Amino acid sequence: MTQKYIFLHQVKTGGKTIEKFLMRKFGNQYCKTTNVFVDESLGNIFDILDASKKEKFAQLTQADVISGHYPFGIHEFYAPEARYFTLLRHPVLRLRSYYNYSLVNYGSAVQQFLEKEQLPFEEFAMLDARAIDHIGIHELHYVLENGQTKILAGVDQRVGQEPMQDIYALSLKNIEAKFDFVGITELFDYSFYRIVRLLDLSPLNTYITQNRSTGGKSVDPKLYEKVMQRNELDCKLYDAHFDKLTRESASLSSRLGVKYIEGSSWLADRYVAARLRFK
């Protein structure tokens, strides 16, 4: 594979599963940016796009594929010719999953905050900018409100901030210019099938599920509507790509590929679960 690729890992979209697959397939030719930009990944990920970090970017350029939590724009420092791919998730399901995972992600700043405040999901979902800044967890600005659009636009916009530019239009422009594939978490098997083909790998590949959050109550209808309204741009972005992928996945070759991935990945997950049980 001569083309360099960037997996833009949106929070709680199934990206850990993709990253583990990339690690197995590409070995030393794969780099996870969290291991390079340690402090930035724990703080404001937009700080990764700092041109002064030449030594860190030099580590990335040795790899053919990179992944991590960072905004659009990292290609300018990693490899200007690199192409992106990513996954999107339904905004309400993504936020619910983030909350559930954070409750058990012991030691993380979000987990410690939730444990200290005993904050229910209903209050967490509606945190405003003042509360987020008081907590000091910057990522909540792009988790709670149109975060997927902000990351794709490469714009560090706070919750409730008056937009200085049309970030939705900018996200679409960036996708058109630099993305070879935008997948959907709710269509994960087809998205995985497309990613495998994009990376010029055999379609007879499989994944092992990582970081699947469990538990949690259903979202109250009134809160559901509030979260949808707060994430209006993410909803538009998600709906457009969901419809597109649904149409594309209807072909016979796609359905056969997805059937193989469904079966082999189910067996891989069962095998891993059995090994852990009897370890």
Side-chain angles (χ1 to χ4, degrees):
M1 186 182 72
T2 57
Q3 175 67 58
K4 287 182 179 287
Y5 275 105
I6 300 170
F7 174 49
L8 196 157
H9 181 182
Q10 296 271 15
V11 175
K12 297 310 296 176
T13 59
K16 281 287 195 302
T17 298
I18 298 296
E19 286 185 332
K20 286 291 185 181
F21 172 76
L22 295 175
M23 187 183 300
R24 292 198 309 272
K25 285 296 171 181
F26 291 96
N28 293 334
Q29 294 304 308
Y30 164 74
C31 183
K32 185 173 179 178
T33 58
T34 307
N35 299 327
V36 178
F37 295 90
V38 179
D39 294 335
E40 296 87 349
S41 297
L42 293 173
N44 182 352
I45 62 170
F46 283 84
D47 291 341
I48 292 174
L49 305 186
D50 184 341
S52 68
K53 305 180 189 297
K54 294 181 180 179
E55 292 184 3
K56 292 186 176 182
F57 283 115
Q59 296 180 53
L60 300 186
T61 57
Q62 306 304 313
D64 290 332
V65 182
I66 67 170
S67 73
H69 298 307
Y70 39 68
F72 177 84
I74 196 170
H75 66 281
E76 296 177 6
F77 309 103
Y78 161 59
E81 76 282 3
R83 303 291 295 177
Y84 288 81
F85 61 98
T86 193
L87 293 171
L88 301 176
R89 189 173 185 179
H90 187 283
V92 179
L93 299 180
R94 176 174 177 260
L95 184 55
R96 180 84 235 191
S97 177
Y98 179 90
Y99 178 82
N100 290 342
Y101 176 70
S102 296
L103 290 175
V104 296
N105 187 22
Y106 299 107
S108 70
V110 182
Q111 184 272 328
Q112 292 176 12
F113 163 70
L114 293 175
E115 183 177 54
K116 178 183 178 183
E117 301 296 330
Q118 292 295 296
L119 201 69
F121 177 68
E122 292 73 16
E123 294 181 27
F124 174 77
M126 290 293 111
L127 287 172
D128 60 17
R130 180 180 297 181
I132 293 171
D133 291 341
H134 177 72
I135 298 164
I137 304 175
H138 188 84
E139 75 176 15
L140 296 181
H141 283 297
Y142 58 84
V143 166
L144 297 175
E145 183 185 270
N146 290 318
Q148 296 174 94
T149 306
K150 292 174 184 177
I151 294 298
L152 289 170
V155 176
D156 187 10
Q157 187 170 298
R158 298 167 70 249
V159 161
Q161 179 181 340
E162 281 295 319
M164 300 185 68
Q165 54 186 311
D166 187 342
I167 61 171
Y168 181 72
L170 184 55
S171 70
L172 294 181
K173 179 181 177 181
N174 291 341
I175 289 171
E176 178 67 24
K178 294 294 291 183
F179 281 75
D180 281 352
F181 180 65
V182 176
I184 293 291
T185 305
E186 288 76 14
L187 298 172
F188 190 86
D189 288 329
Y190 176 65
S191 296
F192 180 79
Y193 168 76
R194 288 287 304 276
I195 290 169
V196 165
R197 299 296 299 272
L198 176 67
L199 299 175
D200 199 25
L201 299 171
S202 167
L204 302 181
N205 265 292
T206 189
Y207 62 82
I208 299 170
T209 306
Q210 306 289 323
N211 280 7
R212 177 181 287 163
S213 59
T214 58
K217 301 176 182 177
S218 60
V219 179
D220 176 83
K222 291 183 179 178
L223 178 63
Y224 184 97
E225 287 303 316
K226 289 181 180 178
V227 173
M228 291 286 281
Q229 290 171 8
R230 196 179 201 189
N231 290 273
E232 179 184 3
L233 302 182
D234 275 11
C235 290
K236 287 173 61 179
L237 199 63
Y238 172 87
D239 287 344
H241 286 89
F242 181 90
D243 292 344
K244 181 174 181 288
L245 259 65
T246 299
R247 292 192 299 271
E248 292 176 356
S249 63
S251 70
L252 178 59
S253 60
S254 295
R255 285 185 283 138
L256 290 174
V258 167
K259 280 296 181 184
Y260 172 82
I261 289 167
E262 284 178 348
S264 60
S265 297
W266 183 87
L267 287 172
D269 283 347
R270 300 290 79 73
Y271 172 73
V272 170
R275 288 200 62 179
L276 291 174
R277 190 178 305 117
F278 296 108
K279 189 174 181 181

